Short mmCIF file of all heavy atoms in Angstrom, two decimals:
data_model
loop_
_atom_site.label_atom_id
_atom_site.label_comp_id
_atom_site.label_asym_id
_atom_site.label_seq_id
_atom_site.Cartn_x
_atom_site.Cartn_y
_atom_site.Cartn_z
N LEU A 21 0.83 -1.21 0.00
CA LEU A 21 0.00 0.00 0.00
C LEU A 21 0.86 1.26 0.00
O LEU A 21 0.54 2.24 -0.68
CB LEU A 21 -0.92 0.00 1.23
CG LEU A 21 -2.05 -1.03 1.22
CD1 LEU A 21 -2.78 -1.01 2.55
CD2 LEU A 21 -3.03 -0.74 0.08
N MET A 22 1.96 1.24 0.75
CA MET A 22 2.85 2.40 0.79
C MET A 22 3.41 2.72 -0.59
O MET A 22 3.44 3.89 -1.02
CB MET A 22 3.99 2.13 1.78
CG MET A 22 4.97 3.27 1.97
SD MET A 22 6.35 3.22 0.78
CE MET A 22 7.19 1.71 1.31
N ALA A 23 3.82 1.68 -1.32
CA ALA A 23 4.37 1.89 -2.65
C ALA A 23 3.31 2.43 -3.61
O ALA A 23 3.55 3.39 -4.35
CB ALA A 23 4.94 0.58 -3.18
N ALA A 24 2.12 1.82 -3.61
CA ALA A 24 1.05 2.25 -4.52
C ALA A 24 0.61 3.67 -4.21
O ALA A 24 0.40 4.49 -5.12
CB ALA A 24 -0.13 1.29 -4.41
N MET A 25 0.48 4.00 -2.93
CA MET A 25 0.01 5.33 -2.54
C MET A 25 1.05 6.41 -2.86
O MET A 25 0.70 7.56 -3.13
CB MET A 25 -0.35 5.34 -1.05
CG MET A 25 -1.56 4.47 -0.72
SD MET A 25 -1.80 4.17 1.05
CE MET A 25 -2.49 5.73 1.58
N THR A 26 2.33 6.05 -2.83
CA THR A 26 3.37 7.03 -3.17
C THR A 26 3.30 7.40 -4.65
O THR A 26 3.45 8.56 -5.02
CB THR A 26 4.77 6.47 -2.82
OG1 THR A 26 4.80 6.11 -1.44
CG2 THR A 26 5.84 7.50 -3.10
N PHE A 27 3.09 6.40 -5.50
CA PHE A 27 2.89 6.66 -6.93
C PHE A 27 1.75 7.65 -7.13
O PHE A 27 1.88 8.66 -7.85
CB PHE A 27 2.57 5.36 -7.67
CG PHE A 27 3.76 4.65 -8.24
CD1 PHE A 27 4.19 3.45 -7.70
CD2 PHE A 27 4.46 5.19 -9.31
CE1 PHE A 27 5.28 2.78 -8.23
CE2 PHE A 27 5.56 4.53 -9.85
CZ PHE A 27 5.97 3.33 -9.31
N VAL A 28 0.60 7.36 -6.53
CA VAL A 28 -0.59 8.19 -6.72
C VAL A 28 -0.38 9.58 -6.15
O VAL A 28 -0.84 10.58 -6.72
CB VAL A 28 -1.82 7.51 -6.07
CG1 VAL A 28 -3.04 8.42 -6.16
CG2 VAL A 28 -2.12 6.18 -6.77
N ALA A 29 0.33 9.69 -5.02
CA ALA A 29 0.59 10.99 -4.42
C ALA A 29 1.38 11.88 -5.37
O ALA A 29 1.10 13.08 -5.52
CB ALA A 29 1.36 10.82 -3.10
N PHE A 30 2.37 11.31 -6.06
CA PHE A 30 3.16 12.08 -7.02
C PHE A 30 2.30 12.53 -8.21
O PHE A 30 2.32 13.70 -8.60
CB PHE A 30 4.34 11.25 -7.53
CG PHE A 30 5.09 11.91 -8.66
CD1 PHE A 30 6.04 12.89 -8.41
CD2 PHE A 30 4.81 11.59 -9.99
CE1 PHE A 30 6.72 13.52 -9.44
CE2 PHE A 30 5.47 12.21 -11.02
CZ PHE A 30 6.44 13.18 -10.76
N LEU A 31 1.55 11.59 -8.78
CA LEU A 31 0.73 11.91 -9.96
C LEU A 31 -0.34 12.94 -9.62
O LEU A 31 -0.66 13.82 -10.44
CB LEU A 31 0.08 10.64 -10.51
CG LEU A 31 1.06 9.57 -11.02
CD1 LEU A 31 0.32 8.32 -11.44
CD2 LEU A 31 1.87 10.12 -12.20
N ASN A 32 -0.89 12.85 -8.43
CA ASN A 32 -1.91 13.82 -8.00
C ASN A 32 -1.29 15.19 -7.81
O ASN A 32 -1.87 16.22 -8.19
CB ASN A 32 -2.56 13.34 -6.71
CG ASN A 32 -3.95 13.91 -6.50
OD1 ASN A 32 -4.68 14.17 -7.45
ND2 ASN A 32 -4.31 14.12 -5.25
N HIS A 33 -0.09 15.24 -7.23
CA HIS A 33 0.60 16.51 -7.02
C HIS A 33 0.96 17.18 -8.34
O HIS A 33 0.90 18.40 -8.47
CB HIS A 33 1.88 16.26 -6.20
CG HIS A 33 2.72 17.49 -6.01
ND1 HIS A 33 2.40 18.47 -5.10
CD2 HIS A 33 3.87 17.90 -6.62
CE1 HIS A 33 3.31 19.44 -5.17
NE2 HIS A 33 4.21 19.10 -6.07
N GLN A 34 1.30 16.38 -9.32
CA GLN A 34 1.66 16.91 -10.64
C GLN A 34 0.43 17.39 -11.43
O GLN A 34 0.58 18.03 -12.46
CB GLN A 34 2.38 15.83 -11.44
CG GLN A 34 3.75 15.46 -10.89
CD GLN A 34 4.77 16.56 -11.10
OE1 GLN A 34 4.88 17.13 -12.17
NE2 GLN A 34 5.53 16.85 -10.05
N GLY A 35 -0.77 17.06 -10.96
CA GLY A 35 -1.99 17.45 -11.66
C GLY A 35 -2.33 16.57 -12.84
O GLY A 35 -3.24 16.88 -13.61
N LEU A 36 -1.62 15.45 -12.99
CA LEU A 36 -1.87 14.58 -14.13
C LEU A 36 -3.24 13.94 -14.07
O LEU A 36 -3.93 13.80 -15.09
CB LEU A 36 -0.79 13.50 -14.20
CG LEU A 36 0.54 13.93 -14.81
CD1 LEU A 36 1.60 12.88 -14.54
CD2 LEU A 36 0.39 14.13 -16.31
N ILE A 37 -3.65 13.53 -12.87
CA ILE A 37 -4.95 12.88 -12.72
C ILE A 37 -6.07 13.84 -13.09
O ILE A 37 -7.00 13.51 -13.85
CB ILE A 37 -5.12 12.36 -11.28
CG1 ILE A 37 -4.06 11.28 -10.99
CG2 ILE A 37 -6.52 11.80 -11.08
CD1 ILE A 37 -4.03 10.81 -9.55
N GLU A 38 -6.00 15.06 -12.56
CA GLU A 38 -7.01 16.07 -12.84
C GLU A 38 -7.05 16.40 -14.33
O GLU A 38 -8.12 16.54 -14.93
CB GLU A 38 -6.72 17.33 -12.03
CG GLU A 38 -7.78 18.41 -12.16
CD GLU A 38 -7.41 19.67 -11.38
OE1 GLU A 38 -6.24 19.78 -10.96
OE2 GLU A 38 -8.28 20.54 -11.21
N SER A 39 -5.90 16.51 -14.95
CA SER A 39 -5.83 16.84 -16.38
C SER A 39 -6.46 15.76 -17.24
O SER A 39 -7.18 16.04 -18.19
CB SER A 39 -4.37 17.04 -16.80
OG SER A 39 -3.78 18.11 -16.09
N VAL A 40 -6.20 14.50 -16.88
CA VAL A 40 -6.76 13.39 -17.65
C VAL A 40 -8.28 13.38 -17.55
O VAL A 40 -8.99 13.13 -18.53
CB VAL A 40 -6.17 12.05 -17.15
CG1 VAL A 40 -6.94 10.87 -17.75
CG2 VAL A 40 -4.70 11.96 -17.50
N ILE A 41 -8.80 13.68 -16.35
CA ILE A 41 -10.26 13.71 -16.17
C ILE A 41 -10.90 14.70 -17.14
O ILE A 41 -11.82 14.36 -17.90
CB ILE A 41 -10.62 14.10 -14.72
CG1 ILE A 41 -10.16 13.01 -13.74
CG2 ILE A 41 -12.12 14.32 -14.59
CD1 ILE A 41 -10.33 13.41 -12.29
N TYR A 42 -10.42 15.94 -17.12
CA TYR A 42 -11.06 16.99 -17.93
C TYR A 42 -10.75 16.84 -19.41
O TYR A 42 -11.47 17.36 -20.25
CB TYR A 42 -10.62 18.36 -17.42
CG TYR A 42 -11.32 18.74 -16.13
CD1 TYR A 42 -10.68 18.62 -14.90
CD2 TYR A 42 -12.64 19.21 -16.14
CE1 TYR A 42 -11.31 18.95 -13.72
CE2 TYR A 42 -13.28 19.54 -14.96
CZ TYR A 42 -12.62 19.42 -13.75
OH TYR A 42 -13.26 19.74 -12.59
N LYS A 43 -9.70 16.11 -19.72
CA LYS A 43 -9.37 15.90 -21.13
C LYS A 43 -10.44 15.06 -21.82
O LYS A 43 -10.74 15.23 -23.01
CB LYS A 43 -8.00 15.21 -21.24
CG LYS A 43 -7.44 15.18 -22.66
CD LYS A 43 -6.06 14.60 -22.67
CE LYS A 43 -5.43 14.64 -24.05
NZ LYS A 43 -5.23 16.00 -24.56
N PHE A 44 -11.04 14.14 -21.07
CA PHE A 44 -12.04 13.24 -21.64
C PHE A 44 -13.47 13.75 -21.47
O PHE A 44 -14.40 13.16 -22.01
CB PHE A 44 -11.91 11.85 -21.02
CG PHE A 44 -10.70 11.10 -21.50
CD1 PHE A 44 -9.52 11.11 -20.77
CD2 PHE A 44 -10.72 10.40 -22.70
CE1 PHE A 44 -8.40 10.42 -21.22
CE2 PHE A 44 -9.61 9.71 -23.16
CZ PHE A 44 -8.44 9.73 -22.41
N LEU A 45 -13.65 14.82 -20.71
CA LEU A 45 -14.99 15.38 -20.55
C LEU A 45 -15.29 16.36 -21.68
O LEU A 45 -14.47 17.22 -22.00
CB LEU A 45 -15.11 16.11 -19.21
CG LEU A 45 -15.18 15.25 -17.94
CD1 LEU A 45 -15.25 16.14 -16.71
CD2 LEU A 45 -16.40 14.33 -17.98
N PRO A 46 -16.47 16.26 -22.31
CA PRO A 46 -16.84 17.22 -23.36
C PRO A 46 -17.15 18.58 -22.76
O PRO A 46 -17.41 18.70 -21.56
CB PRO A 46 -18.09 16.58 -23.98
CG PRO A 46 -18.66 15.73 -22.89
CD PRO A 46 -17.49 15.22 -22.11
N SER A 47 -17.12 19.62 -23.59
CA SER A 47 -17.40 20.97 -23.09
C SER A 47 -18.86 21.13 -22.67
O SER A 47 -19.17 21.89 -21.77
CB SER A 47 -17.05 22.01 -24.16
OG SER A 47 -17.77 21.74 -25.36
N LYS A 48 -19.76 20.40 -23.33
CA LYS A 48 -21.18 20.39 -22.97
C LYS A 48 -21.65 18.95 -22.87
O LYS A 48 -21.36 18.13 -23.74
CB LYS A 48 -22.02 21.13 -24.01
CG LYS A 48 -21.88 22.64 -23.98
CD LYS A 48 -22.87 23.30 -24.93
CE LYS A 48 -22.74 24.83 -24.89
NZ LYS A 48 -23.72 25.48 -25.79
#
């Protein structure tokens, strides 16, 4: 769990997760 959560903590801090979400959402 420590290893998996560290990966996610980095990606979340970099904003990659948030960017991917909105990339796939349409404008309307």
Side-chain angles (χ1 to χ4, degrees):
L21 290 174
M22 182 271 294
M25 293 168 76
T26 304
F27 268 110
V28 175
F30 172 82
L31 297 176
N32 204 32
H33 176 77
Q34 293 289 315
L36 280 167
I37 296 173
E38 185 183 13
S39 298
V40 169
I41 294 173
Y42 285 101
K43 191 175 184 63
F44 287 96
L45 287 178
S47 56
K48 287 187 179 181

